[in-house]
Amino acid sequence: MRIDLHAHSNISDGTETPAEVMAAAAAAGLNVIALTDHDSTDGWGEASRAAIDHGVALVPGMEISCRTEQGISVHLLSYLHDPTHPGLLEEITKAREARLTRAERMVTLLAEDYPLSWDDVIHHVAPGATLGRPHIADALVAAGVVADRSEAFTSILTSHSRYFVQHYAPAPALAVELVCAAGGVPVFAHPVASARGRVVGESTYHDMIDAGLAGLEVNHRDNPEEGREFLRKLAAQHGLVVTGSSDYHGLGKPNRLGENLTAPDVLGRIEELGTGTAVVR
Ligand code: AMP
Ligand code: FE
Ligand code: FE
Ligand code: ZN
């Protein structure tokens, strides 16, 4: 069984439609794929139909952007939650609206120094998709300012950049609580990915565990090996599941489907815990 529990479509910052991601999952020899777009479940319907056509099982999911009181970014994966749960829906709607205002402010700042307009950015966003820095990166690539998204993220678009603007994001423990309330299974995504910015200290893990955290995404290319050892110990101490995933974004990142996998018994545990919706098979 080849199980990959983290992939993005153009419902957020992936470059392929949900149906194309399901086709790519089948072509990569996966048996199970989770669609985890940022702050959106709008891809679930299309992905469900395509997953059945392609003979892959779909775990409906989402990746929620959170921020601690210290300003540290945390990504929380949610599996099998009820997409209509009012409390969770309210938070992600608020975050998505804030992402729009934030992107407009970033584009205004960038336009002072680079050939970039709001229309150039929107050109790279599918209708209704969750807007993020990757879409601004795509417009900068098209304008010839940077070669690819990765170069944009190591230069103009880092969180220390003078063009960077924050957007509203819930506290990690609140997001964990809401995912649980919606019958979902919360898993901390790439927790020790230090190349993305500051990572959280032990107290944040404990806040999230107290709120109902179910797992840690240990096997992800952005987690350095030293950090993985810490995560495995923490998971063993607190009875958390350990997952492995690609974080596929189509052509938007080098990450390939199936480059990290999750064990079948872990998927079994996630299915036991998740009551908001079911795996599509
Ligand atoms: P935002 O949520 O708008 O602040 O943008 C962060 C998103 O950018 C994350 O979800 C990542 O998927 C994406 N990202 C971060 N680093 C890179 C990179 N080096 N190349 C491509 N995408 C990236
Ligand atoms: Fe992303
Ligand atoms: Fe992430
Ligand atoms: Zn992701």
Side-chain angles (χ1 to χ4, degrees):
M1 279 272 271
R2 286 167 53 78
I3 303 166
D4 184 341
L5 291 184
H6 188 162
H8 297 264
S9 73
N10 68 352
I11 294 297
S12 62
D13 57 354
T15 58
E16 298 168 346
T17 64
E20 286 165 347
V21 175
M22 297 303 113
L30 294 175
N31 306 100
V32 183
I33 178 78
L35 184 70
T36 54
D37 278 307
H38 298 287
D39 301 323
S40 178
T41 61
D42 289 357
W44 287 11
E46 179 185 322
S48 300
R49 292 185 288 277
I52 291 165
D53 289 347
H54 292 283
V56 289
L58 170 71
V59 181
M62 178 165 79
E63 185 175 20
I64 306 166
S65 293
C66 310
R67 193 179 313 109
T68 67
E69 272 176 23
Q70 298 78 33
I72 302 172
S73 162
V74 164
H75 285 184
L76 183 73
L77 292 160
S78 171
Y79 300 114
L80 302 175
H81 66 271
D82 171 1
T84 69
H85 182 272
L88 184 55
L89 202 52
E90 195 181 309
E91 277 301 312
I92 61 168
T93 304
K94 197 163 145 187
R96 284 169 57 170
E97 285 168 4
R99 279 173 166 283
L100 194 65
T101 322
R102 172 267 200 145
E104 284 170 347
R105 288 173 61 194
M106 285 188 70
V107 170
T108 302
L109 291 173
L110 284 159
E112 291 171 8
D113 296 327
Y114 298 101
L116 185 74
S117 71
W118 183 243
D119 280 351
D120 298 335
V121 174
I122 290 307
H123 180 73
H124 297 278
V125 187
T130 302
L131 227 153
R133 279 180 286 165
H135 301 109
I136 301 176
D138 290 345
L140 291 167
V141 173
V145 176
V146 289
D148 54 24
R149 283 187 181 182
S150 296
E151 191 190 328
F153 271 91
T154 52
S155 57
I156 311 172
L157 297 183
T158 65
S159 52
H160 337 285
S161 150
R162 54 180 293 249
Y163 307 106
F164 180 79
V165 177
Q166 281 190 348
H167 62 79
Y168 170 78
L174 172 63
V176 169
E177 270 172 33
L178 289 170
V179 168
C180 292
V185 185
V187 173
F188 192 163
H190 44 71
V192 292
S194 43
R196 291 166 176 251
R198 283 190 299 157
V199 298
V200 299
E202 291 220 23
S203 68
T204 301
Y205 287 93
H206 290 116
D207 291 347
M208 292 170 76
I209 290 167
D210 291 346
L213 188 70
L216 299 172
E217 188 184 51
V218 176
N219 298 310
H220 181 292
R221 66 156 68 202
D222 293 352
N223 289 331
E225 189 47 52
E226 321 81 78
R228 294 188 196 194
E229 194 44 45
F230 159 76
L231 294 175
R232 283 190 282 263
K233 278 192 190 140
L234 196 70
Q237 274 167 10
H238 296 277
L240 306 175
V241 298
V242 164
T243 68
S245 319
S246 65
D247 205 353
Y248 181 69
H249 281 68
L251 298 174
K253 273 190 182 182
N255 309 31
R256 292 300 91 194
L257 282 165
E259 68 176 33
N260 286 292
L261 297 170
T262 294
D265 64 310
V266 169
L267 176 62
R269 183 77 189 124
I270 290 172
E271 286 201 69
E272 279 167 17
L273 293 171
T275 56
T277 190
V279 174
V280 179
R281 1 173 107 80

